[in-house]
């Protein structure tokens, strides 16, 4: 190629180089912009994922335990005095005078037993007494005659002593026969079943013509008389509350058949022992039942009045966390991060629990902590609620009613 041709082709090559370089720069710019955009999208996706991973929780503030809740326990009512009536003599029921629900006074006749065997034994005993008296009379006459001859040589002293001893033996036989008659007469008195005190017949387990066996020999109870003017209330108090329920503690009692009525009772006695099976102590209360509205055997709800404990805080039961480490509660710090606190339980009220230790009044408690929550985890808050006065539900500021 000549020199002029070479000189004319150089500008063309330079333009081609410049155009190729421009295209290369544009391609690099496009690739770089795509990589930057993809990195920005990835960063936004990561931030969005992290934001969605932060749980949203509602928190409540602990409230001091109120005295009015007291200690509510189930109990049972029993008659102040209950006397099952058994037979002391065998026979057949001749008649009965009072049925269940009837009021009786002490000494009233409940029933009469026909006792033919006992009657015959009494007749025989009285006949034996008559024989013993006749023998004693004869021995007395004989002894007196021999004693009158004791100062003469007509009888020997030994014969006189023998007649005297025979008289003494016959007198003893008379006393024994008389005692046997008295015993049978006393037993015959048990033919009449009497009410031991003023009360109500709460059971009648026999009827006319029924065979009656002696109670100690396996015979069943025939009647039950109960004094229901006062009732005994038995309640099992958990061991940790026993010191807070001394004798004299007042209680409010409710029974299902009168849901709108309450009755006042007083703790009268404690068993002073803990049942190893239940971990409770049996306590006895006395309640007036002069109106007769409550019945022995009733189930009752016992509300024992206890002194308020200032350090006890109440939170919803849903706030409790049970795991291998024990009982704990999740709280939220000022940086909106979770802090798990171990706590000890004072009392379970059903929808709410009372915490004895491990919680402060200023703590923000997560009302319903999600599964797997851990210390240091961030959370978002929806609002702060409070437990209502009845410890039944949590109310938030945006709720009505």
């Amino acid at each position: 190629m000549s020199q002029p041709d070479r000189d004319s082709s150089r500008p063309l090559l330079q333009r081609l180089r410049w155009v190729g370089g421009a295209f290369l720069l544009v391609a690099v710019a496009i690739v770089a912009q795509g990589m930057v955009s993809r990195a920005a999208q990835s960063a936004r996706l990561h931030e969005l994922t992290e934001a969605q991973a932060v749980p949203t929780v509602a928190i409540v503030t602990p409230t001091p335990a109120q005295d009015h809740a007291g200690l509510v326990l189930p109990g049972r009512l029993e008659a102040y005095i209950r006397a099952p009536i058994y037979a002391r003599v065998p026979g057949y029921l001749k008649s009965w005078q009072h049925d269940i629900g009837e009021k009786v006074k002490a000494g009233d006749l409940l029933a009469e037993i026909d006792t033919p065997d006992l009657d015959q034994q009494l007749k025989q005993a009285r006949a034996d007494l008559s024989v013993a008296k006749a023998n004693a009379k004869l021995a007395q006459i004989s002894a007196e005659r021999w004693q009158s001859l004791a100062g003469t040589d007509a009888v020997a002293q030994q014969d006189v002593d023998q007649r005297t001893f025979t008289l003494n033996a016959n007198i003893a036989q008379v006393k024994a026969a008389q005692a046997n008659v008295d015993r049978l007469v006393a037993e015959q008195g048990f033919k009449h079943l009497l009410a031991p005190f003023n009360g109500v017949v709460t059971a009648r387990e026999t009827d006319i013509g029924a065979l009656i066996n002696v109670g100690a020999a396996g015979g069943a109870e025939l009647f039950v008389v109960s004094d229901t003017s006062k009732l005994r209330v038995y309640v099992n108090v958990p061991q940790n509350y026993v010191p807070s329920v001394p004798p004299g503690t007042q209680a409010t009692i409710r029974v299902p058949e009168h849901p709108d009525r309450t009755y006042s009772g007083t703790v009268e006695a404690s068993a002073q022992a803990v049942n190893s099976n239940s971990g409770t102590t049996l306590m006895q209360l006395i309640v007036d039942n002069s109106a007769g509205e409550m019945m022995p055997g009733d189930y009752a709800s016992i509300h024992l009045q206890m002194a308020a404990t200032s350090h006890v805080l109440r939170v919803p039961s849903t706030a409790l966390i049970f795991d291998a480490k024990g009982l704990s509660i999740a709280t939220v710090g000022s940086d909106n991060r979770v802090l798990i606190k171990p706590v000890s339980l004072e009392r379970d009220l059903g929808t709410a629990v009372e915490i004895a230790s491990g919680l402060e009044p200023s703590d923000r408690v997560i009302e319903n902590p999600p599964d797997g929550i851990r210390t240091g985890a961030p959370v978002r808050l929806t609002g702060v609620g409070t437990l209502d006065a009845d410890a039944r539900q949590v109310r938030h500021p945006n709720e009505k009613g």
Side-chain angles (χ1 to χ4, degrees):
M1 184 178 291
S2 63
Q3 184 67 31
D5 292 335
R6 291 177 181 175
D7 292 340
S8 62
S9 63
R10 285 177 182 175
L12 179 60
L13 293 173
Q14 289 178 353
R15 285 195 298 270
L16 290 174
R17 290 191 186 100
W18 280 106
V19 171
F23 276 111
L24 180 62
L25 289 175
V26 170
V28 171
I30 291 174
V31 172
Q33 183 180 3
M35 294 178 64
V36 171
S37 176
R38 182 174 296 179
Q41 291 178 358
S42 178
R44 287 196 297 271
L45 179 61
H46 179 73
E47 291 176 358
L48 181 61
T49 303
E50 289 292 331
Q52 291 178 346
V54 176
T56 300
V57 298
I59 60 175
V60 295
T61 55
T63 57
Q66 300 294 324
D67 181 37
H68 73 272
L71 182 63
V72 180
L73 296 169
R76 68 182 187 276
L77 304 180
E78 291 189 7
Y80 189 74
I81 304 175
R82 179 184 182 275
I85 309 299
Y86 293 88
R88 287 290 305 274
V89 292
Y92 296 91
L93 194 72
K94 183 178 181 180
S95 63
W96 55 266
Q97 306 299 324
H98 295 281
D99 208 347
I100 58 172
E102 294 187 16
K103 294 183 178 181
V104 294
K105 295 183 178 180
D108 282 356
L109 179 66
L110 300 177
E112 184 178 357
I113 301 173
D114 187 13
T115 57
D117 294 342
L118 179 61
D119 295 342
Q120 190 62 37
Q121 292 175 15
L122 180 58
K123 290 180 181 180
Q124 182 178 351
R126 284 173 172 165
D128 293 339
L129 176 60
S130 298
V131 172
K133 288 182 176 180
N135 291 334
K137 184 62 176 178
L138 179 61
Q140 180 182 2
I141 295 173
S142 177
E144 289 176 352
R145 287 176 178 174
W146 284 80
Q147 288 172 359
S148 64
L149 299 174
T152 66
D153 295 334
V155 295
Q157 184 62 40
Q158 182 177 355
D159 294 334
V160 175
D161 295 339
Q162 183 177 355
R163 298 299 189 279
T164 302
F165 292 149
T166 300
L167 172 60
N168 293 336
N170 281 276
I171 292 175
Q173 289 177 353
V174 170
K175 292 180 179 179
Q178 183 65 56
N180 189 39
V181 170
D182 294 342
R183 176 182 64 83
L184 293 173
V185 169
E187 287 189 11
Q188 199 174 44
F190 291 118
K191 295 187 340 181
H192 301 93
L193 303 180
L194 307 178
F197 48 79
N198 296 347
V200 177
V201 177
T202 55
R204 178 180 61 84
E205 305 294 343
T206 188
D207 211 337
I208 296 174
L211 176 65
I212 305 300
N213 294 316
V214 179
E221 62 185 26
L222 306 180
F223 294 85
V224 176
V225 178
S226 302
D227 179 4
T228 59
S229 59
K230 293 189 295 183
L231 295 177
R232 301 181 190 270
V233 186
Y234 291 98
V235 59
N236 291 298
V237 178
Q239 180 179 351
N240 54 324
Y241 295 117
V242 171
S244 302
V245 190
T249 299
Q250 298 299 309
T252 302
I253 300 167
R254 294 178 181 271
V255 291
E257 61 267 33
H258 299 292
D260 57 338
R261 297 290 304 275
T262 60
Y263 306 90
S264 298
T266 305
V267 176
E268 185 180 73
S270 167
Q272 297 295 319
V274 176
N275 187 310
S276 59
N277 294 325
S278 63
T280 60
T281 295
L282 182 65
M283 292 195 177
Q284 176 183 272
L285 293 79
I286 301 299
V287 57
D288 179 67
N289 190 41
S290 55
E293 295 181 347
M294 294 179 287
M295 298 177 292
D298 252 347
Y299 163 84
S301 176
I302 317 300
H303 178 187
L304 295 167
Q305 298 179 9
M306 297 171 56
T309 307
S310 59
H311 67 275
V312 174
L313 298 175
R314 185 178 297 167
V315 296
S317 57
T318 55
L320 292 178
I321 299 175
F322 296 94
D323 54 23
K325 297 180 181 179
L327 190 64
S328 58
I329 284 182
T331 63
V332 179
S334 58
D335 57 352
N336 286 354
R337 291 187 177 273
V338 175
L339 176 61
I340 305 295
K341 290 188 172 185
V343 296
S344 61
L345 189 65
E346 172 75 11
R347 180 168 45 172
D348 188 346
L349 301 176
T351 57
V353 293
E354 293 183 352
I355 305 300
S357 63
L359 201 62
E360 299 296 332
S362 58
D363 285 337
R364 298 189 296 175
V365 176
I366 298 179
E367 181 182 343
N368 197 352
D371 294 337
I373 195 168
R374 66 187 186 280
T375 295
V379 293
R380 284 200 298 267
L381 308 181
T382 60
V384 181
T386 56
L387 194 64
D388 63 17
D390 294 330
R392 294 181 179 178
Q393 67 181 56
V394 176
R395 297 193 180 276
H396 294 275
N398 58 348
E399 291 183 358
K400 297 181 179 180

